Amino acid sequence: MLIPHPLLGLRDAQEFTYLGDASLLNRPDGMAEGAAEALHDYLYLRDNPAGEHRELWFHEQGDRSWLVVTRNTLTHEITQVEFAADVARQKGADQ
Amino acid sequence: MTQSNRISGGLIDRDLPISFSFEGESLQGFAGDTLASALLANGKRLMGRSFKYHRPRGVISSGSEEPNALMHIGEGAYRTPNTRATVAELYDGMVAQSQNAWPSLAFDAMGINDLFSNFLTAGFYYKTFMWPRAFWEKLYEPIIRKAAGLGSLSMQDDPDVYDKGFLHCDLLVIGAGPAGLMAALTAGRAGAQVILADEDFVMGGRLNSEVIEIGGQSGSDWAKASLAELASLPNVRLMARTTVLGAFDHGIFSAVERVSDHLPLSQRAGRARETLWRIYAKRSLLCAGATERMIAFSNNDRPGIMQAGAMRAYANRWAVSAGQKVAVFANNDDAYRTARDLTAKGVEVVAVIDPREGVPDSPVQVIRGQVIHSKGRLGLKSVRVRKADGGVETLAVDALAVSGGWNPNLSLTSHQRGRPDWRDDIAAFVPGANLPVGMAVAGAAAGDFSTHAALHSGAEMACQSLEALGQPVTPANLPEAEDAPTQITPFWYVGEGKARKWLDFQNDVTVKDVKLAHQEGFESVEHLKRYTTLGMATDQGKNANMGGLAVMAEMTGQSIPQTGTTIFRPPYTPVSMGALAGRSTGKDFKPTRLTPSHHWAQRQGAVFVEVGQWLRAQWFPQPGETHWRQSVDREALAVRKSVGVCDVTTLGKVDVQGKDAAQFLNLVYANAFAKLPVGKTRYGLMLREDGIAMDDGTAARLAEDHFVVTTTTANAGPVYRHMEFVRQCLRPDLDVQLISTTDAWAQYAVAGPNSRKLLQKIVDPEFDISNEAFPFMGCAEITVCGGIRARLFRISFSGELAYEIAVPTRYGESLIEVLMQAGAEFDVTPYGTEALGVLRIEKGHAAGNELNGQTAAAHLGMARLVSTKKDSIGAVMTRRSELAKDDGLRLVGFESMGAEILPAGSHLFADGATQEPANDQGWLTSACYSPHLGKHIALGYLARGSDRIGEVVDAANPVEGKTLKARVVSAHFIDPEGARLRD
């Protein structure tokens, strides 16, 4: 696969390390009420969609940025790639 | 024997004779021959024995789809098994041997399998040899493996070198027949970056094997002229001998180029044998042609029976007649070319046998009918024909050309699950609409069988491909070429005849096997495939599958498209393991990382051990030491007595800087870090979010906004990745930056009661490292040896007064020498990883063996370390009931009650308890002999371990059938109060 890195252009997927569902960005506050339940869901309840999937890739053999890659799990078509930090910042701003 | 079957013409070079041997017999061929064409030229029809029944077999094809003529080529370590003689380019001195035959090809003792064929039918693996069950592994399977098989390995190291390469292009054209050449010309003339790859050593595809005209030239001359033009274009790369193996996501293709396999051994020096290419193509065009299929009839596997197209390829390209008297059996007009071309070359063509109603005109005799039998065990002698009028005629022929029609070579179109469509007019599957992204198909691979259609679709698809890239093209004028329509009536197998009718030559599957599969309920094509092994051989059923599908369709009363088809996977043809490995073999499999003191340690005669990619000194044998334990005991005792030095550069180092660095570490580590003063170091426990220990190490605060974090050697990469995850994905708002500095600093542990005295000799005098000025867990940026930048940490893995000192890597080798010189008065002792391990086990420090992905903070006895006053990764989950329960596993120490070592991995049971899983109470993680205590000791996890100090347990080692008694003790074997650290 080729991943279109926002800064570096098309890069071979071999340069990346895969982590998984981008919902890992939504880490619950460990000090909040009901944190154990929320962390359980965060850790173990993931969707496994046949189709569009937002997922985290780490450009380990590159610029070491974490990316949110939107990939179709049926066709491997990649429709969007964003810096995870930008996504996380936006999420913070939205809250 | 001279080349009795060599005829006139051909694309061989008669001025370049080539000597080779087959089965020990010296033979001659010409440059341009394949092994198969040279053997046929020499009248050798028998080329192999079949996989299961050891049936005598000859070559049936002239290309990479060959299922029968598999050879050992080369001698000694160079011997390569399973080489298809049809693609093995002949070279001077080639040594070829048949395989799967003993004692000889003509008399194969295992041919007796053929007589037991009733027991070896479809699914025999599942039915026969089942009882008694214990016999399978010891008796049945070895016998079957010996009897059934392909070539055998040389059992020597591969002496060849293999390369890998990377290429990028606008358009990858796969196959250089008329469609591929026309496509490459069209795109190449337009200026696009084009790669034209073809598996053959002469490009041109069927143009070299047929008698056809293109634009007034012979097909092969037109191909030659086109290739010359392409070679003159700097934007076109011609890759002959290159098989495109697989079509992967996003336009990535793998291809193997045979670089030097076709050269005599003496000319291969300095060249790779094969190169595995990874090709990144914006668009691709599959022009892979088509494969002719056979018609099954009784004993249709005699040597001398081959594809009609192969027979005329041998005649036209290689100037070889497959026999002296030949016949043709076909259900389509295309095969009549074989009769025409062979007749033109003076070969006697006895008849064309055609089962269709309206048979075309031919200069040779045409018999409406079917071949119902053949004779000639080691080579065809005659065929019997049932005529349409009911009569029977026996034709004395030594070669029979067969054609059941042509299958487009659509393998690569289905590498991403694309399914083919059925076309009635050519009675074949063609590539479906669901092609890999960016791929188009042209020529015979798309079902465009005539030369004109191939040229036209090649040009057309090249234009479309470039237009999709925004590169407009002016279509070229196509040269004139034949445009004969495909005339075919499906005909798959001859009903008459009791002998076996072969469908899959490579896996010995017959029409009867398919019928049996149907009878037993294996009707789905996927079941059919696996039950009969139809199409499961290395040719992936290129010849066989259609026949099998047709038989199944008939049995189920469905059409072929309703019956369905299995699809193809990479690789297109078998690929050598060496090519896949490339240069990543032996020591080069992974990089080797050397520590800064490596060369120094080598000079001291150190024994090294692989730790991940690193080579570390394991111990330093001294004169007179004959056993590793002597060296390790001496080193460990020297540290406790005076001072030792160990290279710990391999531990991961992460530089953490920024205003919010402390806040960041507070989140990453389970214990508190926010209030760590500048100049202090702290042990840190890093948890995974699920509460399991990920790693441990230290973090030293060099400034308000600057920490240096250490990790274990193995986790340097994963911990850095995790920290970047936390930084970028969870807290992008924090002002903090990370960089891995593992390789930037050489670091040594200086441990033992005299460590301070030693360091005081090299640390520059303006830095006071007395106990008062630089206490336990202190850290500082200092200089050594008169101004060399250094970092000093007062941390201890051994439990002694100890430091770690770091200098920029380039000073690492000098520093070890300086330390050894300065330490001479203290008998400073270099120690390796073994003594390091002994010292940390004696001290009860957890390491990789203890952090095995199953242990939470409580198991390590660190539950209270996990701060409840802050949010940190894994803190909540490490406290969950099952991980934190009071009666869970606890890390404790063990002392052997006897003189034997306690093997790490031993499982623990209450004294005298029955050793069964229900009674399992834990296991030993690390073990060593403690020279300090004079005992064998261990660390391990024991249920309620911390409450059971003093108890005796059984350490069971079922692998060796041993049980040892061990006493549970504190994990801190030495100095449990930590007084030595603070001294």
Side-chain angles (χ1 to χ4, degrees):
Chain A
M1 289 202 300
L2 294 170
I3 296 178
H5 189 291
L7 289 180
L8 304 173
L10 282 180
R11 309 303 309 174
D12 197 299
Q14 288 183 123
E15 295 174 5
F16 294 79
T17 304
Y18 180 75
L19 181 63
D21 195 328
S23 67
L24 285 172
L25 292 171
N26 312 323
R27 181 177 182 272
D29 179 358
M31 301 303 279
E33 192 91 357
E37 195 64 30
L39 275 159
H40 167 272
D41 294 356
Y42 166 76
L43 277 166
Y44 300 114
L45 301 185
R46 308 258 173 85
D47 290 334
N48 183 20
E52 195 171 90
H53 188 221
R54 279 161 61 79
E55 53 198 21
L56 284 163
W57 292 74
F58 182 50
H59 199 199
E60 189 150 46
Q61 307 294 323
D63 73 341
R64 300 173 184 183
S65 57
W66 278 96
L67 304 178
V68 175
V69 175
T70 307
R71 180 179 65 101
N72 186 316
T73 58
L74 293 174
T75 63
H76 291 185
E77 187 190 8
I78 293 173
T79 47
Q80 194 181 8
V81 181
E82 305 150 274
F83 285 116
D86 289 346
V87 177
R89 259 187 227 106
Q90 186 58 45
K91 187 170 65 71
D94 291 346
Q95 279 166 3
Chain B
M1 188 193 284
T2 55
Q3 299 177 37
S4 57
N5 283 344
R6 191 69 80 174
I7 53 179
S8 63
L11 301 178
I12 50 167
D13 188 344
R14 289 167 203 263
D15 295 332
L16 285 176
I18 288 179
S19 299
F20 70 104
S21 81
F22 175 65
E23 301 286 275
E25 185 182 353
S26 290
L27 299 169
Q28 297 269 314
F30 292 115
D33 263 327
T34 61
L35 175 58
S37 69
L39 286 174
L40 284 176
N42 284 281
K44 301 285 182 194
R45 290 181 296 172
L46 176 60
M47 294 194 198
R49 287 275 176 167
S50 75
F51 178 70
K52 202 158 92 175
Y53 300 117
H54 292 247
R55 298 267 296 184
R57 293 276 167 82
V59 68
I60 70 158
S61 75
S62 59
S64 65
E65 73 270 32
E66 176 59 32
N68 286 343
L70 306 181
M71 308 276 176
H72 286 138
I73 294 185
E75 291 179 291
Y78 287 95
R79 190 176 82 192
T80 307
N82 305 329
T83 310
R84 288 148 290 152
T86 48
V87 295
E89 200 173 338
L90 201 66
Y91 59 79
D92 214 40
M94 177 187 274
V95 177
Q97 288 281 346
S98 66
Q99 51 193 39
N100 207 26
W102 182 87
S104 74
L105 186 55
F107 177 77
D108 175 8
M110 283 294 178
I112 196 159
N113 279 11
D114 205 21
L115 301 179
F116 294 110
S117 59
N118 281 345
F119 299 103
L120 299 174
T121 52
F124 84 98
Y125 285 106
Y126 310 112
K127 296 174 188 162
T128 321
F129 310 119
M130 296 303 283
W131 302 276
R133 202 172 159 181
F135 276 29
W136 173 254
E137 200 176 312
K138 296 241 161 60
L139 184 67
Y140 298 146
E141 191 186 347
I143 289 175
I144 292 170
R145 283 204 186 280
K146 199 166 182 323
L150 298 169
S152 57
L153 297 168
S154 72
M155 302 311 285
Q156 296 179 49
D157 282 346
D158 188 341
D160 286 311
V161 171
Y162 300 83
D163 268 332
K164 289 191 181 179
F166 300 83
L167 292 170
H168 297 258
C169 62
D170 295 325
L171 181 64
L172 169 65
V173 181
I174 302 158
L181 285 172
M182 201 63 230
L185 285 170
T186 305
R189 285 169 185 162
Q193 295 293 323
V194 177
I195 292 174
L196 176 60
D198 193 284
E199 61 179 348
D200 205 334
F201 54 93
V202 181
M203 288 188 167
R206 290 298 300 181
L207 293 178
N208 295 322
S209 296
E210 302 285 1
V211 178
I212 39 178
E213 275 198 359
I214 297 183
Q217 288 177 292
S218 78
S220 62
D221 283 346
W222 182 84
K224 217 167 162 182
S226 301
L227 287 163
E229 183 186 341
L230 289 167
S232 74
L233 296 173
N235 51 317
V236 175
R237 185 183 182 115
L238 297 177
M239 299 179 75
R241 300 187 180 91
T242 303
T243 306
V244 176
L245 299 169
F248 301 96
D249 290 305
H250 303 167
I252 300 174
F253 292 82
S254 66
V256 70
E257 179 181 5
R258 287 165 294 280
V259 180
S260 64
D261 237 7
H262 60 288
L263 299 173
L265 269 185
S266 59
Q267 291 173 31
R268 293 186 194 176
R271 297 184 206 224
R273 177 172 174 242
E274 294 174 347
T275 300
L276 184 70
W277 293 100
R278 191 178 173 86
I279 302 173
Y280 299 82
K282 289 180 189 157
R283 312 291 295 190
S284 59
L285 185 53
L286 182 69
C287 306
T291 298
E292 197 166 26
R293 53 198 188 219
M294 304 292 274
I295 297 172
F297 59 87
S298 286
N299 290 327
N300 61 324
D301 65 335
R302 304 279 192 213
I305 300 177
M306 65 176 70
Q307 296 162 341
M311 190 180 284
R312 65 180 183 272
Y314 284 117
N316 292 328
R317 175 171 168 185
W318 287 288
V320 172
S321 169
Q324 303 296 328
K325 287 175 79 173
V326 306
V328 178
F329 177 32
N331 66 340
N332 61 79
D333 286 7
D334 183 72
Y336 282 71
R337 296 175 190 213
T338 303
R340 181 196 71 187
D341 293 356
L342 266 71
T343 304
K345 294 251 184 189
V347 179
E348 185 183 347
V349 180
V350 178
V352 177
I353 302 121
D354 191 330
R356 293 177 295 172
E357 299 232 339
V359 295
D361 290 336
S362 173
V364 298
Q365 179 197 190
V366 179
I367 303 175
R368 255 205 76 207
Q370 306 172 9
V371 176
I372 55 171
H373 199 59
S374 76
K375 281 199 167 166
R377 186 167 161 76
L378 299 178
L380 186 67
K381 288 180 178 156
S382 67
V383 294
R384 201 179 317 149
V385 177
R386 171 77 64 191
K387 298 183 185 178
D389 62 13
V392 173
E393 187 174 343
T394 298
L395 304 175
V397 291
D398 57 356
L400 177 70
V402 180
S403 178
W406 292 77
N407 292 330
N409 285 332
L410 49 79
S411 294
L412 273 85
T413 68
S414 60
H415 283 185
Q416 287 167 43
R417 312 283 313 157
R419 294 215 163 252
D421 293 334
W422 179 257
R423 254 176 67 183
D424 267 330
D425 61 327
I426 57 170
F429 281 107
V430 294
N434 189 15
L435 295 172
V437 174
M439 184 184 278
V441 190
D448 297 330
F449 285 155
S450 79
T451 313
H452 169 78
L455 294 170
H456 180 264
S457 70
E460 174 69 21
M461 288 301 155
C463 288
Q464 285 185 18
S465 298
L466 292 194
E467 273 157 21
L469 294 176
Q471 302 180 30
V473 197
T474 327
N477 288 329
L478 293 181
E480 286 284 318
E482 61 84 24
D483 195 15
T486 303
Q487 299 285 1
I488 182 169
T489 304
F491 186 76
W492 306 101
Y493 73 98
V494 176
E496 188 176 353
K498 288 215 168 91
R500 279 165 293 171
K501 300 158 187 171
W502 303 90
L503 291 167
D504 187 329
F505 289 78
Q506 200 169 81
N507 264 358
D508 276 352
V509 181
T510 64
V511 170
K512 191 176 153 196
D513 288 327
V514 175
K515 291 185 174 177
L516 185 66
H518 169 261
Q519 189 183 320
E520 300 190 351
F522 296 93
E523 291 177 11
S524 130
V525 288
E526 300 291 347
H527 290 159
L528 168 69
K529 172 176 171 174
R530 283 152 187 87
Y531 194 60
T532 62
T533 72
L534 174 83
M536 285 179 72
T538 58
D539 62 359
Q540 293 194 45
K542 288 187 183 78
N543 294 292
N545 280 357
M546 278 306 306
L549 291 176
V551 175
M552 185 54 81
E554 177 195 307
M555 300 304 291
T556 57
Q558 293 178 310
S559 68
I560 288 174
Q562 281 170 332
T563 306
T565 176
T566 57
I567 57 177
F568 299 92
R569 300 189 186 98
Y572 178 66
T573 53
V575 57
S576 51
M577 297 301 285
L580 297 176
R583 306 247 172 175
S584 304
T585 58
K587 281 280 170 208
D588 296 327
F589 181 70
K590 56 181 173 23
T592 302
R593 300 171 80 183
L594 302 182
T595 62
S597 67
H598 182 83
H599 299 295
W600 175 85
Q602 249 178 343
R603 291 195 294 275
Q604 312 308 309
V607 172
F608 293 94
V609 60
E610 287 183 24
V611 182
Q613 295 175 346
W614 292 96
L615 271 188
R616 298 185 71 182
Q618 199 170 10
W619 62 83
F620 294 82
Q622 293 297 297
E625 291 175 349
T626 55
H627 189 275
W628 65 270
R629 264 280 307 285
Q630 292 174 304
S631 310
V632 173
D633 289 358
R634 173 183 50 73
E635 291 171 13
L637 285 172
V639 171
R640 300 241 180 267
K641 188 171 152 226
S642 179
V643 61
V645 177
C646 181
D647 190 328
V648 293
T649 303
T650 62
L651 272 75
K653 309 177 197 78
V654 183
D655 216 68
V656 183
Q657 297 196 39
K659 182 163 61 62
D660 299 324
Q663 201 185 339
F664 172 75
L665 290 182
N666 228 18
L667 178 59
V668 169
Y669 283 118
N671 48 325
F673 267 88
K675 291 178 185 150
L676 181 70
V678 173
K680 279 290 186 184
T681 308
R682 185 169 286 173
Y683 172 83
L685 174 65
M686 206 177 279
L687 299 175
R688 308 193 314 216
E689 192 69 272
D690 64 1
I692 299 294
M694 172 191 283
D695 199 56
D696 68 349
T698 60
R701 192 165 202 173
L702 295 174
E704 267 309 309
D705 58 355
H706 187 192
F707 290 79
V708 175
V709 163
T710 65
T711 75
T712 58
T713 299
N715 277 335
V719 166
Y720 177 78
R721 186 191 310 152
H722 169 69
M723 290 171 73
E724 283 290 5
F725 169 79
V726 175
R727 184 180 79 87
Q728 297 176 35
C729 299
L730 302 184
R731 293 306 301 271
D733 54 313
L734 295 183
D735 176 3
V736 62
Q737 297 296 328
L738 309 175
I739 188 164
S740 166
T741 59
T742 305
D743 293 356
W745 293 87
Q747 194 151 324
Y748 294 95
V750 181
N754 285 321
S755 55
R756 184 186 302 123
K757 285 184 201 153
L758 166 52
L759 284 170
Q760 276 168 336
K761 291 178 72 177
I762 68 156
V763 172
D764 289 340
E766 58 267 40
F767 299 99
D768 182 359
I769 61 166
S770 66
N771 196 29
E772 298 70 34
F774 195 72
F776 181 53
M777 297 310 269
C779 67
E781 292 184 285
I782 59 166
T783 60
V784 296
C785 305
I788 306 293
R789 206 178 144 211
R791 289 170 174 174
L792 188 64
F793 311 90
R794 190 168 159 188
I795 53 180
S796 176
F797 200 40
S798 58
E800 299 298 323
L801 168 68
Y803 300 81
E804 288 188 12
I805 182 164
V807 291
T809 303
R810 63 186 178 281
Y811 297 115
E813 188 166 3
S814 302
L815 184 62
I816 185 73
E817 291 184 359
V818 165
L819 286 167
M820 296 315 288
Q821 279 162 19
E825 62 176 292
F826 311 111
D827 288 330
V828 63
T829 301
Y831 63 102
T833 54
E834 280 304 315
L836 183 79
V838 169
L839 293 164
R840 73 97 188 164
I841 294 170
E842 288 179 339
K843 182 61 184 170
H845 278 310
N849 292 7
E850 284 72 39
L851 308 179
N852 70 344
Q854 294 173 278
T855 48
H859 302 141
L860 291 161
M862 295 185 186
R864 273 179 297 165
L865 196 71
V866 181
S867 172
T868 55
K869 298 194 176 69
K870 60 155 187 172
D871 188 11
S872 70
I873 304 290
V876 172
M877 296 312 264
T878 207
R879 284 194 285 266
R880 58 182 143 153
S881 54
E882 191 61 26
L883 291 182
K885 63 181 180 183
D886 290 337
D887 60 351
L889 298 171
R890 292 293 179 272
L891 185 66
V892 287
F894 298 86
E895 287 178 358
S896 175
M897 310 278 288
E900 280 187 279
I901 188 160
L902 293 169
S906 296
H907 273 247
L908 303 171
F909 297 89
D911 193 6
T914 316
Q915 290 172 11
E916 56 187 31
N919 292 338
D920 196 321
Q921 300 195 327
W923 67 96
L924 300 183
T925 51
S926 306
C928 71
Y929 174 76
S930 165
H932 182 77
L933 301 170
K935 298 177 188 172
H936 290 285
I937 60 169
L939 298 176
Y941 289 108
L942 177 67
R944 293 185 295 102
S946 42
D947 300 335
R948 295 168 68 178
I949 305 296
E951 191 180 322
V952 172
V953 294
D954 286 341
N957 174 6
V959 178
E960 292 179 26
K962 281 188 188 168
T963 297
L964 300 173
K965 298 281 179 202
R967 185 185 306 282
V968 183
V969 296
S970 157
H972 308 293
F973 294 90
I974 58 126
D975 190 27
E977 302 80 27
R980 297 183 194 186
L981 302 166
R982 295 177 173 80
D983 196 9

